[in-house]
Short mmCIF file of all heavy atoms in Angstrom, two decimals:
data_model
loop_
_atom_site.label_atom_id
_atom_site.label_comp_id
_atom_site.label_asym_id
_atom_site.label_seq_id
_atom_site.Cartn_x
_atom_site.Cartn_y
_atom_site.Cartn_z
N ASP A 389 22.13 -18.55 -32.41
CA ASP A 389 21.97 -19.87 -32.98
C ASP A 389 23.24 -20.70 -32.76
O ASP A 389 24.29 -20.43 -33.33
CB ASP A 389 21.68 -19.69 -34.48
CG ASP A 389 21.50 -21.02 -35.20
OD1 ASP A 389 21.72 -22.08 -34.57
OD2 ASP A 389 21.15 -20.99 -36.39
N GLU A 390 23.12 -21.71 -31.89
CA GLU A 390 24.30 -22.49 -31.51
C GLU A 390 24.86 -23.29 -32.69
O GLU A 390 26.06 -23.51 -32.79
CB GLU A 390 23.96 -23.45 -30.35
CG GLU A 390 23.71 -22.76 -29.01
CD GLU A 390 24.95 -22.08 -28.43
OE1 GLU A 390 26.08 -22.57 -28.67
OE2 GLU A 390 24.79 -21.06 -27.73
N GLU A 391 23.98 -23.71 -33.58
CA GLU A 391 24.44 -24.47 -34.75
C GLU A 391 25.33 -23.59 -35.63
O GLU A 391 26.37 -24.02 -36.12
CB GLU A 391 23.23 -24.92 -35.59
CG GLU A 391 22.32 -25.93 -34.90
CD GLU A 391 22.91 -27.33 -34.86
OE1 GLU A 391 23.61 -27.70 -35.81
OE2 GLU A 391 22.69 -28.04 -33.86
N ALA A 392 24.87 -22.34 -35.80
CA ALA A 392 25.64 -21.41 -36.63
C ALA A 392 26.98 -21.09 -35.96
O ALA A 392 28.01 -20.99 -36.61
CB ALA A 392 24.84 -20.14 -36.88
N LEU A 393 26.90 -20.93 -34.64
CA LEU A 393 28.12 -20.63 -33.88
C LEU A 393 29.15 -21.75 -34.05
O LEU A 393 30.34 -21.51 -34.28
CB LEU A 393 27.73 -20.46 -32.41
CG LEU A 393 28.74 -19.81 -31.50
CD1 LEU A 393 29.02 -18.38 -31.95
CD2 LEU A 393 28.22 -19.80 -30.06
N PHE A 394 28.67 -22.99 -33.96
CA PHE A 394 29.57 -24.13 -34.11
C PHE A 394 30.16 -24.16 -35.52
O PHE A 394 31.34 -24.44 -35.70
CB PHE A 394 28.83 -25.43 -33.80
CG PHE A 394 29.67 -26.66 -34.01
CD1 PHE A 394 30.79 -26.88 -33.23
CD2 PHE A 394 29.34 -27.60 -34.99
CE1 PHE A 394 31.59 -28.00 -33.43
CE2 PHE A 394 30.12 -28.72 -35.19
CZ PHE A 394 31.25 -28.92 -34.41
N TYR A 395 29.34 -23.83 -36.48
CA TYR A 395 29.81 -23.83 -37.88
C TYR A 395 30.98 -22.85 -38.04
O TYR A 395 32.01 -23.19 -38.62
CB TYR A 395 28.65 -23.43 -38.79
CG TYR A 395 28.94 -23.58 -40.27
CD1 TYR A 395 28.79 -24.81 -40.90
CD2 TYR A 395 29.34 -22.49 -41.03
CE1 TYR A 395 29.05 -24.95 -42.25
CE2 TYR A 395 29.59 -22.63 -42.40
CZ TYR A 395 29.44 -23.86 -43.00
OH TYR A 395 29.69 -24.01 -44.34
N LEU A 396 30.83 -21.65 -37.48
CA LEU A 396 31.90 -20.65 -37.59
C LEU A 396 33.15 -21.12 -36.84
O LEU A 396 34.28 -20.99 -37.32
CB LEU A 396 31.44 -19.30 -37.04
CG LEU A 396 30.27 -18.62 -37.76
CD1 LEU A 396 29.86 -17.35 -37.04
CD2 LEU A 396 30.63 -18.31 -39.21
N ARG A 397 32.93 -21.68 -35.66
CA ARG A 397 34.07 -22.14 -34.86
C ARG A 397 34.79 -23.30 -35.54
O ARG A 397 36.02 -23.40 -35.48
CB ARG A 397 33.60 -22.55 -33.46
CG ARG A 397 33.06 -21.39 -32.65
CD ARG A 397 32.58 -21.84 -31.29
NE ARG A 397 33.69 -22.24 -30.42
CZ ARG A 397 33.53 -22.84 -29.25
NH1 ARG A 397 32.31 -23.12 -28.80
NH2 ARG A 397 34.58 -23.17 -28.53
N ALA A 398 34.01 -24.15 -36.19
CA ALA A 398 34.62 -25.31 -36.86
C ALA A 398 35.50 -24.90 -38.03
O ALA A 398 36.19 -25.71 -38.61
CB ALA A 398 33.53 -26.28 -37.34
N ARG A 399 35.44 -23.61 -38.38
CA ARG A 399 36.33 -23.11 -39.43
C ARG A 399 37.51 -22.33 -38.85
O ARG A 399 38.20 -21.61 -39.56
CB ARG A 399 35.54 -22.22 -40.41
CG ARG A 399 34.45 -22.96 -41.17
CD ARG A 399 35.02 -24.07 -42.04
NE ARG A 399 33.98 -24.84 -42.70
CZ ARG A 399 33.66 -26.09 -42.39
NH1 ARG A 399 34.30 -26.73 -41.43
NH2 ARG A 399 32.70 -26.72 -43.05
N GLY A 400 37.65 -22.39 -37.53
CA GLY A 400 38.83 -21.78 -36.92
C GLY A 400 38.60 -20.40 -36.33
O GLY A 400 39.54 -19.75 -35.89
N ILE A 401 37.34 -19.95 -36.33
CA ILE A 401 37.05 -18.62 -35.79
C ILE A 401 36.71 -18.79 -34.31
O ILE A 401 35.82 -19.58 -33.96
CB ILE A 401 35.88 -17.98 -36.56
CG1 ILE A 401 36.29 -17.80 -38.03
CG2 ILE A 401 35.49 -16.64 -35.95
CD1 ILE A 401 35.16 -17.46 -38.96
N ASP A 402 37.42 -18.07 -33.43
CA ASP A 402 37.22 -18.36 -32.02
C ASP A 402 35.84 -17.88 -31.54
O ASP A 402 35.18 -17.08 -32.19
CB ASP A 402 38.37 -17.88 -31.13
CG ASP A 402 38.48 -16.38 -31.09
OD1 ASP A 402 37.44 -15.73 -31.03
OD2 ASP A 402 39.62 -15.88 -31.14
N GLU A 403 35.45 -18.41 -30.40
CA GLU A 403 34.06 -18.27 -29.97
C GLU A 403 33.63 -16.81 -29.85
O GLU A 403 32.56 -16.43 -30.33
CB GLU A 403 33.85 -19.00 -28.64
CG GLU A 403 32.39 -19.04 -28.27
CD GLU A 403 32.09 -19.79 -26.99
OE1 GLU A 403 33.01 -20.38 -26.40
OE2 GLU A 403 30.91 -19.78 -26.58
N ASP A 404 34.47 -15.99 -29.22
CA ASP A 404 34.10 -14.58 -29.03
C ASP A 404 33.88 -13.89 -30.37
O ASP A 404 32.94 -13.15 -30.56
CB ASP A 404 35.18 -13.83 -28.25
CG ASP A 404 35.18 -14.25 -26.79
OD1 ASP A 404 34.21 -14.94 -26.39
OD2 ASP A 404 36.13 -13.90 -26.07
N LYS A 405 34.81 -14.16 -31.27
CA LYS A 405 34.72 -13.52 -32.57
C LYS A 405 33.50 -14.02 -33.35
O LYS A 405 32.82 -13.25 -34.02
CB LYS A 405 36.01 -13.79 -33.35
CG LYS A 405 36.18 -12.88 -34.52
CD LYS A 405 37.59 -12.91 -35.08
CE LYS A 405 37.62 -12.04 -36.32
NZ LYS A 405 38.85 -12.20 -37.09
N MET A 409 30.44 -11.85 -34.74
CA MET A 409 29.99 -11.89 -36.14
C MET A 409 28.49 -12.10 -36.22
O MET A 409 27.79 -11.47 -37.01
CB MET A 409 30.69 -13.03 -36.90
CG MET A 409 32.12 -12.74 -37.31
SD MET A 409 32.91 -14.20 -38.05
CE MET A 409 32.70 -13.84 -39.77
N MET A 410 28.00 -12.97 -35.36
CA MET A 410 26.57 -13.28 -35.37
C MET A 410 25.74 -12.09 -34.89
O MET A 410 24.68 -11.80 -35.42
CB MET A 410 26.27 -14.48 -34.48
CG MET A 410 27.06 -15.71 -34.81
SD MET A 410 26.23 -16.83 -35.91
CE MET A 410 24.67 -17.02 -35.13
N ASN A 412 26.66 -8.90 -34.98
CA ASN A 412 26.72 -7.88 -36.02
C ASN A 412 25.77 -8.22 -37.16
O ASN A 412 25.11 -7.34 -37.72
CB ASN A 412 28.15 -7.76 -36.57
CG ASN A 412 28.95 -6.74 -35.81
OD1 ASN A 412 28.47 -5.64 -35.53
ND2 ASN A 412 30.16 -7.09 -35.45
N ALA A 413 25.71 -9.49 -37.49
CA ALA A 413 24.83 -9.93 -38.56
C ALA A 413 23.38 -9.63 -38.20
O ALA A 413 22.60 -9.16 -39.02
CB ALA A 413 25.00 -11.42 -38.81
N PHE A 414 23.06 -9.88 -36.95
CA PHE A 414 21.70 -9.64 -36.46
C PHE A 414 21.33 -8.16 -36.60
O PHE A 414 20.26 -7.80 -37.08
CB PHE A 414 21.62 -10.08 -34.99
CG PHE A 414 20.31 -9.83 -34.33
CD1 PHE A 414 19.25 -10.70 -34.52
CD2 PHE A 414 20.14 -8.73 -33.49
CE1 PHE A 414 18.04 -10.48 -33.89
CE2 PHE A 414 18.92 -8.50 -32.87
CZ PHE A 414 17.87 -9.38 -33.07
N HIS A 416 22.84 -5.94 -38.47
CA HIS A 416 23.14 -5.35 -39.77
C HIS A 416 21.91 -5.15 -40.65
O HIS A 416 21.82 -4.19 -41.41
CB HIS A 416 24.18 -6.19 -40.51
CG HIS A 416 24.75 -5.49 -41.69
ND1 HIS A 416 25.60 -4.42 -41.56
CD2 HIS A 416 24.54 -5.65 -43.01
CE1 HIS A 416 25.91 -3.98 -42.76
NE2 HIS A 416 25.28 -4.70 -43.66
N GLY B 49 34.22 -31.40 -32.50
CA GLY B 49 34.11 -30.69 -31.22
C GLY B 49 32.74 -30.18 -30.89
O GLY B 49 32.58 -29.25 -30.10
N LYS B 50 31.71 -30.78 -31.44
CA LYS B 50 30.37 -30.33 -31.13
C LYS B 50 30.03 -30.63 -29.67
O LYS B 50 30.27 -31.72 -29.19
CB LYS B 50 29.36 -31.01 -32.06
CG LYS B 50 28.07 -30.28 -32.10
CD LYS B 50 27.40 -30.37 -33.43
CE LYS B 50 26.31 -29.34 -33.44
NZ LYS B 50 25.07 -29.82 -33.99
N GLU B 51 29.46 -29.60 -29.02
CA GLU B 51 29.38 -29.68 -27.56
C GLU B 51 28.34 -30.63 -26.98
O GLU B 51 28.55 -31.17 -25.91
CB GLU B 51 29.18 -28.28 -26.96
CG GLU B 51 30.52 -27.62 -26.70
CD GLU B 51 30.43 -26.11 -26.57
OE1 GLU B 51 29.32 -25.60 -26.39
OE2 GLU B 51 31.50 -25.47 -26.66
N ALA B 71 39.05 -26.75 -28.03
CA ALA B 71 37.87 -26.09 -28.56
C ALA B 71 37.78 -26.35 -30.07
O ALA B 71 38.81 -26.60 -30.71
CB ALA B 71 37.97 -24.59 -28.30
N PRO B 72 36.58 -26.31 -30.62
CA PRO B 72 36.42 -26.59 -32.05
C PRO B 72 37.34 -25.74 -32.93
O PRO B 72 37.91 -26.24 -33.91
CB PRO B 72 34.95 -26.24 -32.33
CG PRO B 72 34.27 -26.28 -31.03
CD PRO B 72 35.30 -26.01 -29.98
N GLU B 73 37.49 -24.45 -32.56
CA GLU B 73 38.31 -23.56 -33.39
C GLU B 73 39.78 -23.98 -33.36
O GLU B 73 40.49 -23.85 -34.36
CB GLU B 73 38.14 -22.09 -32.98
CG GLU B 73 38.39 -21.77 -31.51
CD GLU B 73 37.11 -21.83 -30.68
OE1 GLU B 73 36.23 -22.67 -30.98
OE2 GLU B 73 37.00 -21.04 -29.72
N ALA B 76 40.24 -26.95 -35.58
CA ALA B 76 40.26 -26.52 -36.98
C ALA B 76 41.62 -25.96 -37.34
O ALA B 76 42.19 -26.30 -38.38
CB ALA B 76 39.16 -25.49 -37.21
N PHE B 81 39.24 -30.68 -40.40
CA PHE B 81 38.15 -30.02 -41.10
C PHE B 81 36.96 -30.94 -41.19
O PHE B 81 37.08 -32.10 -41.59
CB PHE B 81 38.60 -29.63 -42.51
CG PHE B 81 37.54 -28.93 -43.32
CD1 PHE B 81 37.47 -27.55 -43.34
CD2 PHE B 81 36.63 -29.66 -44.09
CE1 PHE B 81 36.49 -26.89 -44.08
CE2 PHE B 81 35.65 -29.00 -44.83
CZ PHE B 81 35.58 -27.63 -44.83
N LEU B 82 35.78 -30.41 -40.82
CA LEU B 82 34.55 -31.18 -40.99
C LEU B 82 33.73 -30.58 -42.11
O LEU B 82 33.38 -29.40 -42.06
CB LEU B 82 33.73 -31.19 -39.69
CG LEU B 82 32.32 -31.78 -39.80
CD1 LEU B 82 32.37 -33.28 -40.10
CD2 LEU B 82 31.53 -31.53 -38.52
N PHE B 84 30.29 -30.37 -43.33
CA PHE B 84 29.03 -30.64 -42.64
C PHE B 84 28.03 -31.38 -43.52
O PHE B 84 27.92 -31.12 -44.72
CB PHE B 84 28.38 -29.33 -42.19
CG PHE B 84 29.01 -28.73 -40.97
CD1 PHE B 84 30.27 -28.13 -41.03
CD2 PHE B 84 28.34 -28.76 -39.75
CE1 PHE B 84 30.84 -27.57 -39.90
CE2 PHE B 84 28.92 -28.22 -38.62
CZ PHE B 84 30.17 -27.62 -38.69
N VAL B 88 24.96 -24.91 -42.27
CA VAL B 88 23.99 -23.98 -41.69
C VAL B 88 23.94 -22.68 -42.50
O VAL B 88 24.98 -22.16 -42.90
CB VAL B 88 24.40 -23.60 -40.25
CG1 VAL B 88 23.20 -23.03 -39.49
CG2 VAL B 88 24.98 -24.77 -39.52
N ILE B 90 23.64 -18.77 -42.40
CA ILE B 90 23.86 -17.73 -41.39
C ILE B 90 23.57 -16.37 -42.00
O ILE B 90 24.47 -15.68 -42.49
CB ILE B 90 25.29 -17.78 -40.82
CG1 ILE B 90 25.71 -19.23 -40.50
CG2 ILE B 90 25.39 -16.92 -39.57
CD1 ILE B 90 27.10 -19.38 -39.96
N PRO B 91 22.32 -15.96 -41.99
CA PRO B 91 21.95 -14.69 -42.62
C PRO B 91 22.70 -13.53 -41.96
O PRO B 91 22.85 -13.50 -40.74
CB PRO B 91 20.45 -14.57 -42.35
CG PRO B 91 19.99 -15.91 -41.91
CD PRO B 91 21.18 -16.62 -41.35
N GLY B 92 23.18 -12.63 -42.79
CA GLY B 92 23.82 -11.42 -42.27
C GLY B 92 25.33 -11.54 -42.12
O GLY B 92 26.01 -10.53 -41.97
N VAL B 93 25.87 -12.77 -42.14
CA VAL B 93 27.32 -12.91 -42.11
C VAL B 93 27.78 -13.13 -43.56
O VAL B 93 27.52 -14.18 -44.14
CB VAL B 93 27.77 -14.10 -41.24
CG1 VAL B 93 29.28 -14.31 -41.33
CG2 VAL B 93 27.37 -13.88 -39.78
N PHE B 98 33.45 -14.08 -43.63
CA PHE B 98 33.58 -15.36 -42.93
C PHE B 98 34.82 -16.11 -43.42
O PHE B 98 35.66 -16.54 -42.62
CB PHE B 98 32.30 -16.16 -43.16
CG PHE B 98 32.43 -17.65 -42.97
CD1 PHE B 98 32.77 -18.18 -41.73
CD2 PHE B 98 32.19 -18.52 -44.03
CE1 PHE B 98 32.88 -19.55 -41.56
CE2 PHE B 98 32.30 -19.88 -43.86
CZ PHE B 98 32.65 -20.40 -42.63
N ALA B 102 38.30 -16.91 -41.44
CA ALA B 102 38.72 -18.30 -41.24
C ALA B 102 40.15 -18.50 -41.76
O ALA B 102 41.01 -19.05 -41.05
CB ALA B 102 37.75 -19.23 -41.94
N GLU B 105 42.66 -16.66 -39.52
CA GLU B 105 42.85 -17.32 -38.22
C GLU B 105 43.82 -18.50 -38.38
O GLU B 105 44.68 -18.73 -37.54
CB GLU B 105 41.52 -17.82 -37.64
CG GLU B 105 40.57 -16.73 -37.17
CD GLU B 105 41.11 -15.90 -36.02
OE1 GLU B 105 41.92 -16.41 -35.22
OE2 GLU B 105 40.74 -14.71 -35.94
N HIS B 106 43.64 -19.23 -39.46
CA HIS B 106 44.55 -20.36 -39.73
C HIS B 106 45.98 -19.86 -39.93
O HIS B 106 46.93 -20.45 -39.43
CB HIS B 106 44.09 -21.13 -40.98
CG HIS B 106 43.03 -22.15 -40.70
ND1 HIS B 106 41.73 -21.81 -40.40
CD2 HIS B 106 43.08 -23.50 -40.67
CE1 HIS B 106 41.03 -22.92 -40.19
NE2 HIS B 106 41.81 -23.96 -40.35
N VAL B 142 26.53 -16.44 -45.56
CA VAL B 142 26.99 -17.82 -45.49
C VAL B 142 25.84 -18.80 -45.76
O VAL B 142 24.87 -18.84 -45.00
CB VAL B 142 27.62 -18.12 -44.11
CG1 VAL B 142 28.02 -19.59 -44.00
CG2 VAL B 142 28.82 -17.21 -43.88
N ASN B 143 25.96 -19.53 -46.85
CA ASN B 143 25.01 -20.58 -47.24
C ASN B 143 23.58 -20.10 -47.49
O ASN B 143 22.69 -20.91 -47.77
CB ASN B 143 24.95 -21.72 -46.20
CG ASN B 143 26.22 -22.53 -46.19
OD1 ASN B 143 26.78 -22.80 -47.26
ND2 ASN B 143 26.69 -22.91 -45.03
N GLU B 155 31.21 -26.38 -48.99
CA GLU B 155 32.01 -27.06 -47.97
C GLU B 155 33.39 -27.43 -48.54
O GLU B 155 34.42 -27.23 -47.90
CB GLU B 155 31.30 -28.32 -47.47
CG GLU B 155 30.01 -28.07 -46.72
CD GLU B 155 30.23 -27.32 -45.42
OE1 GLU B 155 30.82 -27.87 -44.48
OE2 GLU B 155 29.82 -26.15 -45.36
N GLN B 158 35.53 -24.42 -49.02
CA GLN B 158 36.16 -24.00 -47.76
C GLN B 158 37.33 -24.90 -47.42
O GLN B 158 38.37 -24.46 -46.93
CB GLN B 158 35.14 -24.02 -46.62
CG GLN B 158 34.08 -22.94 -46.75
CD GLN B 158 32.97 -23.11 -45.74
OE1 GLN B 158 33.20 -23.45 -44.58
NE2 GLN B 158 31.74 -22.90 -46.17
#
Side-chain angles (χ1 to χ4, degrees):
Chain A
D389 180 353
E390 290 294 329
E391 294 285 326
L393 195 62
F394 177 64
Y395 189 83
L396 298 176
R397 295 178 70 189
R399 296 298 176 251
I401 298 168
D402 67 40
E403 188 178 356
D404 287 349
K405 196 165 176 191
M409 282 174 98
M410 305 266 309
N412 270 315
F414 177 81
H416 193 71
Chain B
K50 198 148 194 224
E51 271 160 15
E73 54 268 34
F81 180 93
L82 171 66
F84 283 73
V88 199
I90 315 179
V93 174
F98 158 63
E105 290 297 332
H106 276 72
V142 176
N143 290 321
E155 295 295 292
Q158 291 171 41

